């Protein structure tokens, strides 16, 4: 038996005990929290005449949100607060091919792979240093109709290699004023990166975002920029006939060029009804395999609170390539029903229908659900995804 497994299990148990104690005694300066999501996903793929056609039903984790636990602690003195936050992502299954749109959730040899930062906060706002959440991604979640791994703007970031965290970062969040807040993040150079990009330091990046929440209106704007590591990589081409992904040595790319994106979203609540709209443009040199490639994501949708426990939502999104090579054109319609039968515990059903009308030889790598079906939805294919499961949040 591996002693590391027992040590890790013991750590989780210890943190859980601390969390319950913290909730029992509000005077303690630390808190444990967790979110778990798991269910069964059935994916049916048709069209394209490839081997991936057919139906797969299997256990899946992260349909609506990633799985994680965390601990945060702080002390307050004379209006100044200082502390730390540690958060670990994990899977409810042992399938290494399973993933989530919300950041690292798979097996990792790094403890606290989602957040690990120190912070100082006060009337001036909040400074954080370390591994932090991506403020642009936070804004996306605030205005997206469903916030699910399928059929949402989140999929646009996942399909282009993005994520929900920023490592080695310095982040500043303003205090909230009349419903308005803003955030600026600077990402330091990655380990092993070489100089030579247009700003003199590869692997660096920035995040700028703004959020307004008041009087039933939520509005978010954000822009991110990442400089590549300056290393060569081999692009991948999907063969529409065989469904096989193969390296294309003719399209090697140097990732020293900047990859960037912008996002804007609106949500407005009319009592029990909330309507949403969002737009995102992602420029991803290497992933889209073209020097000026881009992906445009447009979404509309909304949700309705049937009662205090039940909620239903629907969203329509399109993912279109703004470049000249891939010709990506994917549409998605998704419907979500949730029922909170015990405080913190929700049962859910998620239906998603996808259609890939891409004209190029390389389709957008849409994650189609399930462990063995993870990968690209190829041109001229359709997919129907049905997920049912449970989600429990302890905060």
């Amino acid at each position: 038996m591996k002693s590391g497994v027992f040590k890790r299990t013991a750590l989780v148990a210890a943190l859980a005990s601390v969390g319950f104690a913290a909730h029992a005694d509000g005077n303690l300066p630390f808190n444990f929290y967790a979110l778990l999501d798991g269910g069964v996903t059935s994916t049916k793929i048709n069209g394209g005449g490839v081997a991936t056609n057919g139906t797969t039903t299997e256990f899946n984790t992260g349909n609506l949100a990633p799985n994680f636990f965390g601990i945060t602690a702080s002390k307050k003195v004379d209006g100044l607060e200082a502390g730390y936050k540690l958060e670990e992502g994990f899977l409810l299954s042992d399938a290494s091919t399973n993933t989530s749109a919300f950041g690292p959730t798979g097996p990792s040899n790094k403890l606290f792979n989602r957040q690990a930062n120190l912070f100082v906060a006060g009337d001036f706002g909040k400074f954080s240093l370390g591994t932090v959440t991506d403020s642009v991604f936070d804004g996306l979640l605030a205005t997206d109709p469903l916030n699910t791994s399928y059929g949402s703007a989140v999929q646009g970031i996942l399909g282009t290699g993005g994520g929900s965290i920023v490592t080695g970062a310095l982040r500043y969040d303003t205090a909230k004023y009349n419903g308005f807040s803003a955030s600026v993040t600077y990402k330091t150079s990655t380990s092993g990166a070489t100089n030579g990009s247009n700003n003199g330091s590869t692997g660096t990046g920035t995040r700028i975002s703004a959020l307004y929440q008041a009087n039933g209106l939520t509005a978010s704007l954000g822009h991110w920029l990442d400089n590549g590591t300056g290393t060569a990589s081999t692009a991948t081409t999907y063969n529409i006939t065989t469904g096989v992904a193969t390296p294309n040595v003719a399209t090697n790319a140097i990732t020293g060029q900047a990859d960037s994106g912008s996002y804007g979203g609106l949500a407005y609540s009319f009592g029990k009804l909330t309507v949403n709209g969002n737009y995102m443009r992602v420029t991803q040199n290497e992933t889209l395999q073209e020097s000026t490639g881009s992906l445009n994501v447009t979404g509309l949708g909304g949700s309705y609170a049937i009662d205090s426990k039940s909620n239903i939502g629907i969203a329509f999104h399109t993912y279109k390539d703004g470049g000249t090579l891939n010709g990506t054109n994917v549409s998605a319609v998704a419907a979500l029903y949730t029922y909170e039968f015990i405080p913190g515990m929700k049962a859910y059903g998620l239906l998603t229908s996808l259609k890939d009308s891409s004209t190029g030889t390389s389709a957008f790598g849409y994650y189609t659900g399930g462990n063995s079906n993870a990968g690209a939805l190829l041109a001229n294919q359709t997919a129907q995804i049905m997920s049912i499961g449970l989600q429990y949040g302890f905060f």
Side-chain angles (χ1 to χ4, degrees), residues 302-336:
S303 61
Y304 181 78
I306 301 173
D307 53 39
S308 60
K309 297 182 178 180
S310 305
N311 191 84
I312 188 169
I314 189 169
F316 174 76
H317 278 81
T318 59
Y319 314 85
K320 294 185 178 181
D321 185 10
T324 58
L325 177 62
N326 293 324
T328 298
N329 185 4
V330 177
S331 60
V333 179
L336 172 67

Side-chain angles (χ1 to χ4, degrees), residues 339-387:
Y339 177 70
E340 188 174 20
F341 58 95
I342 294 177
M345 178 69 82
K346 294 180 180 179
Y348 63 81
L350 174 64
L351 297 175
T352 308
S353 179
L354 309 173
K355 182 178 181 181
D356 193 330
S357 303
S358 302
T359 57
T361 58
S362 179
F364 172 45
Y366 198 105
Y367 175 66
T368 54
N371 298 331
S372 61
N373 269 341
L377 181 66
L378 306 180
N380 302 315
Q381 285 190 322
T382 61
Q384 286 74 46
I385 306 171
M386 179 178 68
S387 298

Side-chain angles (χ1 to χ4, degrees), residues 59-84:
F59 178 80
N60 198 20
T61 180
N63 292 314
L64 304 189
N67 297 276
F68 57 81
F69 69 85
I71 184 171
T72 182
S74 65
K75 291 185 178 181
K76 294 182 179 180
V77 177
D78 298 330
L80 190 65
E81 181 181 9
Y84 64 85

Side-chain angles (χ1 to χ4, degrees), residues 99-121:
T99 188
S100 166
F102 294 83
T105 60
S108 172
N109 58 1
K110 295 182 179 179
L111 192 61
F112 303 121
N113 54 12
R114 285 179 56 87
Q115 290 196 67
N117 59 75
L118 300 168
F119 64 84
V120 178

Side-chain angles (χ1 to χ4, degrees), residues 288-301:
L288 296 184
Q289 304 169 36
E290 53 194 10
S291 59
T292 58
S294 63
L295 183 72
N296 300 321
V297 181
T298 304
L300 292 172

Side-chain angles (χ1 to χ4, degrees), residues 202 284 292 375 377 392:
T202 60
Q284 194 73 302
T292 58
L377 181 66
Y392 181 69

